[in-house]
């Protein structure tokens, strides 16, 4: 989808603006805490990171935002190192 714009706001300078899909990044982790989107505020140049629930993930991916899948932590313990 070309031409998709997403409304966003900066918590630091409180500016409101629209961003193209290329200005956003989506990281999908193994939990709600590790799933988020991020962008750089065009007004104050701050890096902004916000949580992304299922609906936000769906909207961003449909809109063409690049997605990074974070590796899940190993659920099994590592074998001991032997000398």
């Amino acid at each position: 989808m070309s031409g998709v714009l997403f409304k966003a706001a900066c918590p630091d300078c409180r500016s409101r603006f629209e961003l193209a899909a290329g200005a956003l990044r989506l990281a999908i982790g193994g939990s709600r805490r590790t799933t988020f989107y991020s962008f750089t505020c065009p007004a104050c140049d701050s890096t902004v990171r916000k949580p992304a629930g299922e609906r936000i993930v769906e909207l961003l991916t449909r809109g063409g935002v690049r997605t990074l899948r974070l590796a899940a932590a190993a659920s099994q313990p590592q074998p001991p190192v032997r000398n």
Side-chain angles (χ1 to χ4, degrees), residues 19 34 46 59 70 77 80:
L19 296 172
T34 58
S46 291
L59 292 172
L70 303 175

Side-chain angles (χ1 to χ4, degrees), residues 43-81:
C44 71
D45 212 31
S46 291
T47 300
V48 179
R49 176 177 162 166
K50 294 188 175 188
E54 289 180 27
R55 181 72 177 138
I56 297 295
V57 169
E58 180 183 341
L59 292 172
L60 294 177
T61 54
R62 280 188 181 179
V65 173
R66 276 200 284 177
T67 302
L68 171 67
R69 295 209 179 265
L70 303 175
S75 59
Q76 297 177 359
Q78 298 293 322
V81 176

Side-chain angles (χ1 to χ4, degrees), residues 3-69:
V4 175
L5 294 176
F6 296 94
K7 291 183 180 186
C10 177
D12 291 340
C13 71
R14 299 182 187 240
S15 291
R16 295 186 167 284
F17 39 83
E18 291 183 339
L19 296 172
L24 294 152
R25 297 292 176 266
L26 174 63
I28 299 176
S31 71
R32 292 173 118 176
R33 278 187 24 187
T34 58
T35 300
F36 60 91
Y37 65 98
S38 63
F39 57 89
T40 300
C41 175
C44 71
D45 212 31
S46 291
T47 300
V48 179
R49 176 177 162 166
K50 294 188 175 188
E54 289 180 27
R55 181 72 177 138
I56 297 295
V57 169
E58 180 183 341
L59 292 172
L60 294 177
T61 54
R62 280 188 181 179
V65 173
R66 276 200 284 177
T67 302
L68 171 67
R69 295 209 179 265

